[in-house]
Each structure stands twice: as C-alpha cells, then as structure tokens.
C-alpha cells in the first residue's frame, strides 16, 4: 500500500498557521474568589478566545466551593453565551461554603475528565482558588493518566494571602494542586489579587493558550547555588529566519507560606563555551507573584543543553515551561503494539505495552524534514534504554484514512519510576515527556508510565545492562520487548515502522552493518 499524501480541502488551510488547538477551555472559579480580579481575568479570557476562535471547540464554566449543591459544569459552543454566563454568575461570598470547609475543586476536575460526549484532547483548565482541598485528598491514578496522556493543562491560581492562610491549616493541603500542575505541564500560580494575578494570567493566555510547549521540567530544587543541566531543547527548522523565538515561563513554590520573587534566577541555553544564551530573571519578571517570564532567540535546527541556577531556598518546587509559536494543527495519541496505525487510542501506558506515540499533522503542512523524538523521565534524564531517542526518516512517514501525515514513533518500554526520584515533584514520579520536532514544528507530549500489566514471554525474560528485555537469539530476526514484538537491532541500528513495504517494524542498520537484526558487519 502506498502512502497517501493528498491535500485537505481549502476549509482546513488556515490550520497551518494556528496555535495549540484546545478541545475544551474550562474556566472554573471559587464562589469566594475576589470579584474584581475575576472580572479582569474573564475580560482577558474572552478577548483572547475571541481573537483566536480556532483554538477551541467547546467552552465551559463552573463555580465551586458553594454553600449549596455543587453547581455542574456548563458547556457552550460559542463565545457570546460563555461570556454572558460568566457575567451573570460571578463569585459571590454570600453563596460560598463555610471557611471551615475545604475546597471541592478536585470533584470539579473529576467531573470535567469524565464528562461524556465532550472533547478532551489538549484542553486547558483555569482554576481560581481561595482554599486548598482537604489533607490527603487527590485525584486517582486513572485521572492523572487522563490528564497527562491527553495533554490537558490545568492551572491552579490563588492569592498569596489565601495561600498563607490555607498553608497554616493542618487539615488542608496544596499537594494535590502541585501534583496536578506538575503532571499537566502547567503552573501553580500564587500572587497578590488584582493586577499581579491578572497580568500573570494574561501571560498564561499568551503562551499556554496560543503556543506549543517545546520543553518542560518540574523539579524539587535541591541544587543550592550550583548550576545544573535540567534537560535538552531541540530547536525546529525555520525557512524564514536563522533564529526561532521562545518564551520561558517559570513558577516557584517554596516550602514557606510566602510567594517567591528574588534575584539570582537564570537559564543558560548551552552548546559550547563560545555558543550559549544566558537568560536572567531579575529582579523578578512579575513582582508580588511566584511567576517569571522572559523571551529568548535560539538558532534554528540546533540542540541546546538547558542549565538552571537560582538562589531559591532548598526544596523549592520549580516548574519551567518553554513555548514557541505553533505553525500547524496537530493531534497526539498513544497506540498499542499491535495497532501501529494508531486506530484505537491507548488510554493507559504501562511497562508491558510501552509508549507508542502517534503524532498526526495537517497534511497541507507536510514537512520534508525527518522527525526527532526524545523521551525523558521526571528527572529530565534520557533513559539508557533503546528508543529513548529516535529519528523518523521521511521514508517512514505515512498517512492515515484522514490523510494526516502520521509519524510512527517506535514503542519505548518505560519504567514505572526511575531509579532516582529525589528531584521529582511528589506525585509525578511516573511522568515521562516526549519532545517531538518535525521540520518547523515542535511540541511536548507526556504520559504516565504504570506498572507492567501482562505476561512476559518465557523466552523474552532476558535483560541487558540497560534494562531492555530481549528474547532468545535462536533465529533471525532477533526480537525484544516483554512480548517480543520489536526487532532487536543489537545496538547497530534503529527500529522503524515500514508502512510502504513490510507493514511492520524493521531494523534500519547503521553504516557498515546489515541483516534483519544488523548482525552482519
């Protein structure tokens, strides 16, 4: 079967130049949230959504922490009824539950995730809070799977005064909110009511709502004043400029009950001593908040090590997101080993199934560049296992029935938790991030890696020094993985899915090697 690269009809042409396309935008707010700040934020939300109508298919609102029966989430198909509903149902302290009652924001999130008939992929959720959930309250692991694997970004936002008050209550905890922000590639924002929080929200709408996430890292800052490498950033190609613009957003949550905004925070985008970009965040991008913001230009087609240094207190939870302007509409999902076309979305990734990401781009925006893929764990480290770094050559890109260019990323057999988790945000130890770069497009996709579920084949229980399962090498092609469904290229080549000829995973050997498993030299 030959790949089909026919173009879409003209009604889809505009998608080549749009940003992140959100399935649903949910604006949820506590009944006792500050009305003035709420009004500023709703105006910003309505303005941004109106100016970028392609960025959503559904809009939704929910008011929580009320003194009666919990109000249900209401969905809208257009901006005007959404805006009217926000204006007609603002926060109202008289309608709020007693201050002695913890927040019921977690059931709101659960309701949003479980709603039937509503698109979820790439949704954005804003939570305006005035109190914490009860101590030990949290979402289920299945709900975290739904959030992370479906690219749902959830932004908890609270005033510094409320944060301090809630922090002092032994019956409340912000742990779940921190975990949600870390697992959804968002920020837990703390700041003063009024302009500080409103301006921060505007920055979030300008990045998380419009742009593609190109790098992400959440960690407990145990580095002190030392400079540490926290990840790698691959810059996409550009046909019009030597440099690509990026926006950096950072939030820092201390163990104390105060917000953070100090001197001494910097990121270095490092290639060599003679080729590096230093971005300093001082005296703090946004005063009276825990939020930092900056921009940087990086060479197109280059790869940088991202180095971090701060003067934050040890134990500060730091969340770093790097964004760039999107150039086309995309869709990501996970597929099982026996579904290389990605026809059925895999809702849970585990050590047995492996993470087989399927990235689809609008056909009119088809790129002639190979795709680059990098898997990193909660430490920002690239696994030593096979397929943690991949290149999908142009010859192996195919189109599905909808004519989307389809990038078949080879399943990566993750570990439920990495060996070292001391720098990982509690609750995010199982999270992996995938940096995907294809031509002028780049985006981050993430997933939760759960313990293996399934029977490992008796002849595939061998393990090499990097933890890869491989099968008995009694006949060619050699196979690996818990069920022996992936060719073993013996470290002398890499695996590709050959759509045009074999319609199967095959070994593509390095120069000087040949054979079904690259066994000949």
């Amino acid at each position: 079967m030959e790949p089909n690269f026919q173009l879409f009809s003209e009604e889809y042409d505009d998608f080549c130049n749009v940003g992140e396309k959100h399935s649903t935008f949910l604006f949820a707010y506590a009944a006792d949230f500050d009305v003035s700040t709420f009004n500023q934020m709703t105006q910003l939300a309505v303005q941004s959504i109106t100016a970028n109508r392609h960025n959503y298919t559904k809009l939704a609102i929910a008011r929580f922490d009320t003194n009666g029966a919990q109000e249900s989430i209401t969905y809208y198909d257009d901006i005007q009824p959404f805006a009217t509903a926000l204006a007609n149902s603002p926060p109202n302290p008289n309608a709020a539950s007693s201050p002695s009652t913890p927040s019921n924001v977690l059931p709101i999130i659960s309701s949003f995730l479980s709603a039937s008939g509503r698109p979820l992929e790439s949704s954005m959720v804003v939570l305006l809070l005035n109190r914490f959930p009860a101590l030990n309250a949290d979402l289920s692991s299945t709900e975290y799977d739904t959030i992370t694997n479906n690219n749902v970004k959830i932004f908890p936002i609270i005033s510094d005064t409320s944060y301090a008050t809630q922090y002092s209550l032994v019956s409340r905890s912000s742990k779940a909110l921190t975990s949600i922000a870390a697992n959804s590639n968002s920020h837990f924002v703390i700041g003063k009511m009024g302009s500080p929080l409103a301006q921060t929200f505007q920055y979030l709408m300008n990045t998380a709502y419009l742009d593609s996430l190109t790098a992400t890292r959440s960690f407990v800052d145990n580095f002190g004043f030392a400079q540490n490498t926290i990840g790698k950033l691959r810059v996409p190609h550009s046909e019009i400029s030597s440099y690509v613009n990026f926006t950096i957003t950072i939030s820092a949550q201390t163990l104390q009950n105060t917000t953070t905004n100090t001197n001494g925070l910097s990121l270095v985008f490092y290639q060599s001593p003679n080729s590096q970009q230093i971005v300093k965040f001082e005296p703090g991008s946004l005063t009276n908040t825990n939020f930092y913001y900056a921009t940087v230009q990086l060479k197109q087609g280059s790869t940088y090590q991202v180095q971090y240094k701060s003067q934050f207190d040890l134990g500060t939870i730091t969340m770093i997101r790097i964004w760039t302007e999107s150039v086309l509409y995309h869709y990501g999902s996970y597929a099982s080993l026996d579904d290389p076309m990605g026809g059925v979305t895999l809702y849970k990734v585990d050590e047995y199934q492996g993470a087989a990401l399927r990235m689809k781009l609008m056909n009119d925006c088809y790129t002639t560049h190979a795709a680059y893929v990098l898997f990193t764990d909660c430490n920002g480290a690239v696994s030593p296992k096979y397929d943690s770094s991949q290149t999908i050559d142009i010859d192996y890109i195919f189109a599905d029935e909808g004519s989307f260019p389809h990038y078949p990323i080879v399943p990566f057999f993750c570990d439920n938790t990495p060996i070292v988790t001391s720098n990982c945000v509690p609750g995010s130890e199982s999270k992996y991030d995938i940096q995907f770069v294809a031509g002028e497009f780049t985006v981050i996709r993430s997933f939760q890696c759960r313990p293996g579920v399934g029977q490992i084949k008796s002849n595939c229980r061998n393990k090499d020094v990097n933890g890869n399962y491989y099968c008995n090498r009694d006949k060619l092609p050699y196979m690996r993985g818990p069920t022996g469904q992936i060719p073993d290229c013996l470290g002398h080549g890499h695996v590709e899915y050959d759509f045009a000829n074999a319609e199967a995973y095959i070994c593509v050997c390095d120069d000087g090697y040949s054979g079904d498993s690259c066994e000949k030299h």
Side-chain angles (χ1 to χ4, degrees):
M1 184 183 299
E2 291 296 320
N4 174 16
F5 289 121
Q6 65 182 5
L7 295 182
F8 272 70
S9 62
E10 292 182 1
E11 67 179 292
Y12 294 104
D13 289 345
D14 290 342
F15 281 116
C16 282
N17 297 311
V18 306
E20 180 89 42
K21 185 176 185 295
H22 302 284
S23 295
T24 305
F25 180 89
L26 170 61
F27 197 86
Y29 50 98
D32 49 5
F33 194 79
D34 181 71
V35 176
S36 176
T37 308
F38 169 84
N39 289 335
Q40 293 179 60
M41 290 183 171
T42 54
Q43 289 177 16
L44 291 168
V46 170
Q47 290 170 3
S48 184
I49 295 170
T50 301
N52 301 278
R53 294 176 62 86
H54 53 259
N55 280 61
Y56 69 87
T57 55
K58 292 287 183 183
L59 299 167
I61 70 169
R63 188 170 64 173
F64 55 89
D65 292 349
T66 55
N67 58 15
Q70 173 55 52
E71 298 176 12
S72 60
I73 301 174
T74 307
Y75 293 85
Y76 302 92
D77 293 321
D78 209 348
I79 185 65
Q80 191 54 55
F82 170 77
T84 300
L86 287 172
N88 291 340
S89 185
N92 180 0
N94 295 326
S97 58
S98 167
S100 63
T101 305
S103 177
N104 68 346
V105 68
L106 298 182
I108 291 292
I109 298 173
S110 299
S111 176
F112 177 73
L113 298 176
S114 62
S116 60
R118 306 295 183 189
L120 192 63
E121 160 77 16
S122 294
S123 292
M124 180 174 176
V125 177
V126 177
L127 306 174
L128 304 185
L129 297 147
N130 202 38
R131 59 186 85 181
F132 292 166
L135 183 68
N136 298 324
D138 205 346
L139 300 176
S140 68
S141 61
T142 298
E143 289 170 325
Y144 276 111
D145 289 335
T146 301
I147 290 170
T148 308
N149 299 3
N150 285 280
N151 192 32
V152 178
K153 294 180 175 62
I154 304 177
F155 293 88
I157 301 175
I158 192 170
S159 75
D160 56 350
T161 303
S162 294
Y163 185 90
T165 300
Q166 296 294 303
Y167 188 91
S168 66
L169 299 177
V170 295
S171 61
R172 311 279 175 88
S173 175
S174 62
K175 182 180 177 180
L177 301 173
T178 303
S179 179
I180 288 167
N183 282 297
S184 69
N185 293 326
S186 65
H187 289 291
F188 186 178
V189 176
I190 308 164
K192 290 194 178 300
M193 286 293 186
S195 296
L197 279 183
Q199 186 178 4
T200 300
F201 178 66
Q202 183 174 23
Y203 281 121
L204 294 179
M205 293 301 292
N206 289 343
T207 52
Y209 184 70
L210 292 176
D211 293 344
S212 283
L213 183 65
T214 64
T216 184
R217 181 74 198 282
S218 301
F219 57 92
V220 180
D221 186 353
N222 294 318
F223 309 134
F225 297 137
Q227 184 165 286
N228 279 266
T229 297
I230 60 169
K232 182 185 293 185
L233 174 63
R234 177 73 171 258
V235 181
H237 292 276
S238 174
E239 303 297 334
I240 60 175
S241 175
S242 299
Y243 290 86
V244 176
N245 296 320
F246 292 88
T247 300
I248 307 162
T249 57
I250 300 177
S251 56
Q253 183 184 350
T254 70
L255 296 179
Q256 288 72 38
N257 58 358
T258 57
T259 56
T260 299
N261 226 313
T262 63
N263 297 338
L265 173 62
S266 65
L267 287 186
V268 179
F269 295 88
Y270 181 90
Q271 289 183 298
S272 71
N274 298 321
S275 179
Q276 56 183 311
Q277 285 271 54
I278 301 175
V279 181
K280 294 184 177 181
F281 300 79
E282 50 187 18
S285 305
L286 295 175
T287 57
N288 298 313
T289 72
N290 70 331
F291 189 79
Y292 298 80
Y293 175 95
T295 58
V296 66
Q297 290 186 322
L298 302 174
K299 293 180 182 177
Q300 67 93 23
S302 300
T303 299
Y304 292 83
Q305 296 291 334
V306 183
Q307 299 173 340
Y308 167 87
K309 184 178 181 180
S310 82
Q311 294 179 10
F312 294 155
D313 294 334
L314 291 180
T316 296
I317 294 175
T318 304
M319 301 186 187
I320 298 176
R321 318 295 183 224
I322 303 175
W323 316 81
T324 193
E325 181 181 351
S326 287
V327 293
L328 54 90
Y329 170 54
H330 64 280
Y331 177 79
S333 62
Y334 296 96
S336 64
L337 281 168
D338 55 3
D339 181 26
M341 289 291 290
V344 178
T345 297
L346 187 67
Y347 292 103
K348 179 174 289 188
V349 176
D350 61 39
E351 297 168 317
Y352 179 80
Q353 285 274 6
L357 175 66
R358 296 293 178 261
M359 286 300 299
K360 304 177 185 180
L361 310 182
M362 290 298 288
N363 200 337
D364 340 28
C365 315
Y366 174 69
T367 174
T368 57
H369 293 280
Y372 167 88
V373 180
L374 189 69
F375 288 74
T376 52
D377 62 22
C378 64
N379 292 296
V382 180
S383 172
K385 284 189 171 185
Y386 286 132
D387 306 319
S388 58
S389 178
Q390 301 180 27
T391 300
I392 298 90
D393 294 329
I394 198 72
D395 293 340
Y396 299 103
I397 301 170
F398 57 87
D400 63 11
E401 293 180 357
S403 297
F404 284 88
H406 189 111
Y407 292 77
I409 296 166
V410 175
F412 166 70
F413 293 102
C414 55
D415 293 316
N416 175 231
T417 55
I419 296 174
V420 179
T421 61
S422 58
N423 290 330
C424 301
V425 175
S428 69
E429 293 87 353
S430 299
K431 178 175 177 282
Y432 282 75
D433 303 308
I434 310 174
Q435 188 176 153
F436 175 85
V437 183
E440 295 181 73
F441 177 75
T442 179
V443 72
I444 286 284
R445 296 296 306 209
S446 302
F447 66 94
Q448 300 285 344
C449 181
R450 299 307 182 185
V453 179
Q455 182 65 43
I456 299 174
K457 280 192 173 182
S458 59
N459 68 333
C460 298
R461 293 176 180 170
N462 308 297
K463 268 194 175 184
D464 64 20
V465 294
N466 293 322
N468 296 293
Y469 282 103
Y470 67 93
C471 307
N472 296 341
R473 291 167 179 167
D474 50 358
K475 64 178 180 178
L476 290 167
Y478 303 146
M479 306 300 286
R480 62 178 178 81
T483 56
Q485 291 180 260
I486 299 293
D488 188 348
C489 307
L490 303 176
H492 303 143
H494 65 276
V495 176
E496 297 277 7
Y497 183 77
D498 184 5
F499 174 83
N501 298 305
E503 294 192 19
Y505 293 110
I506 63 170
C507 282
V508 179
C509 300
D510 297 337
D511 290 343
Y513 291 88
S514 61
D516 289 341
S517 291
C518 304
E519 74 283 0
K520 300 176 182 178
H521 184 47

